[in-house]
Amino acid sequence: MQSSGTSRLHVGIIMDGNGRWAAARGLPRYAGHRAGAGAVRRAIEAAPGLGIATLTLFAFSSDNWRRPRDEVRALFGLLRRYLRSEVAQLAETGVRLSIIGRRDRLPDGLAAEIARAEGLTAGGRRLHVRVALDYSARDQILRAVAAAPRDAALTAETLSRLLDGGGPGADVDLLIRTSGEQRLSDFLLWECAYAELHFTPRLWPDFGQADLALAMQDFHGRQRRFGGLSPAGTAGDAATPARAAAG
Ligand code: FPP
């Protein structure tokens, strides 16, 4: 199956390389994160025109708590300012904002500001931007399993729905990672089961609309078979495990 050009796609981005961008300019790491916020704006602007319905951005992993206190404080300060300064514009342009990840360890008052931004943008239908904050995919999966009803067998659908932001559209179509690194770093592990992967050497603060367009072009050139065969190979009716075993 060639990826359809008209579908409303879910793209995840591991925004990497802010620190290296800053170091290359002799600037503090914080300056890289601030420039990264500019790249977030550009990606949000470009996404609807590229057929993207949902954009999930990895802004702070649960492992990022290991970073120096000043950098963590600066990152949350930046996120707080972003929420305050952008939310009206997001609402006006039909962008829904929501957060996935833990909310119980965020700095004072941030969870309330997030809830306010989510409320103000809830009606957005043009693009859904999900920001992953204090996020760990493994942690999400463990919590979903713990929250699953005990009186019925656990299915993939049930578990999907129990993940933050789970349900229809949660599966990722394309995962992008910038800065030349090629790993998943505990991001959307369940939702990326059939994601296409796109790695670019571009550092996140330099990532622009042309880079997103290129990633989408790469995606549309991929054959997605979801474990089956390409269309030329699917003339017969599909097997099931039992029918195939019966010969
Ligand atoms: C990884 O680069 C980036 C982060 C840990 C933070 C991402 C945050 C932003 C882009 C800030 C703005 C976000 C929003 C949603 C407004 P790194 O610091 O690990 O870079 P390095 O690998 O070069 O050191």
Side-chain angles (χ1 to χ4, degrees):
M1 188 190 317
Q2 203 87 351
S3 349
S4 148
T6 54
S7 46
R8 307 255 298 147
L9 298 166
H10 182 174
V11 174
I13 308 185
I14 301 178
M15 310 182 287
D16 200 2
N18 294 352
R20 277 162 282 171
W21 184 94
R25 288 159 180 77
L27 297 170
R29 294 179 56 81
Y30 169 69
H33 297 314
R34 197 172 46 201
V40 166
R41 279 186 205 100
R42 294 195 293 273
I44 291 175
E45 260 173 49
L50 293 168
I52 299 169
T54 306
L55 195 58
T56 303
L57 304 170
F58 204 4
F60 191 88
S61 89
S62 296
D63 290 324
N64 288 151
W65 289 113
R66 297 195 193 124
R67 294 194 177 200
R69 192 188 297 260
D70 281 354
E71 181 173 348
V72 169
R73 197 176 293 141
L75 262 172
F76 280 115
L78 189 61
L79 286 159
R80 207 187 281 268
R81 278 196 296 287
Y82 178 85
L83 287 179
R84 288 180 187 163
S85 66
E86 309 278 317
V87 73
Q89 160 99 355
L90 294 175
E92 262 168 40
T93 52
V95 178
R96 174 179 168 206
L97 181 74
S98 55
I99 301 295
I100 58 170
R102 289 183 62 163
R103 298 184 186 209
D104 57 319
R105 304 190 293 192
L106 298 177
D108 280 354
L110 186 56
E113 292 198 45
I114 287 170
R116 179 176 162 273
E118 288 178 328
L120 288 169
T121 62
R125 293 287 173 270
R126 213 164 60 88
L127 176 69
H128 185 185
V129 174
R130 308 190 318 162
V131 176
L133 263 193
D134 195 0
Y135 178 89
S136 151
R138 285 180 167 182
D139 179 65
Q140 289 265 313
I141 293 167
L142 288 170
R143 284 162 181 270
V145 170
R150 295 270 166 268
D151 54 349
L154 182 58
T155 65
E157 284 72 23
T158 309
L159 197 138
S160 291
R161 264 187 279 110
L162 288 167
L163 296 170
D164 264 15
D171 279 357
V172 173
D173 295 296
L174 172 66
L175 179 73
I176 300 170
R177 183 169 190 148
T178 58
S179 89
E181 309 293 346
Q182 304 193 0
R183 50 179 181 272
L184 298 178
S185 300
D186 202 11
F187 184 51
L188 301 176
L189 298 182
W190 178 274
E191 295 88 339
C192 280
Y194 282 98
E196 298 294 328
L197 308 178
H198 177 90
F199 300 108
T200 167
R202 189 82 75 209
L203 302 177
W204 177 249
D206 290 328
F207 191 87
Q209 306 205 346
D211 297 297
L212 188 56
L214 198 67
M216 296 307 289
Q217 196 183 339
D218 179 19
F219 170 81
H220 287 300
R222 306 278 179 94
Q223 280 217 329
R224 302 187 82 195
R225 298 191 296 270
F226 299 95
L229 299 179
S230 58
T234 53
D237 60 340
T240 63
R243 282 163 68 192

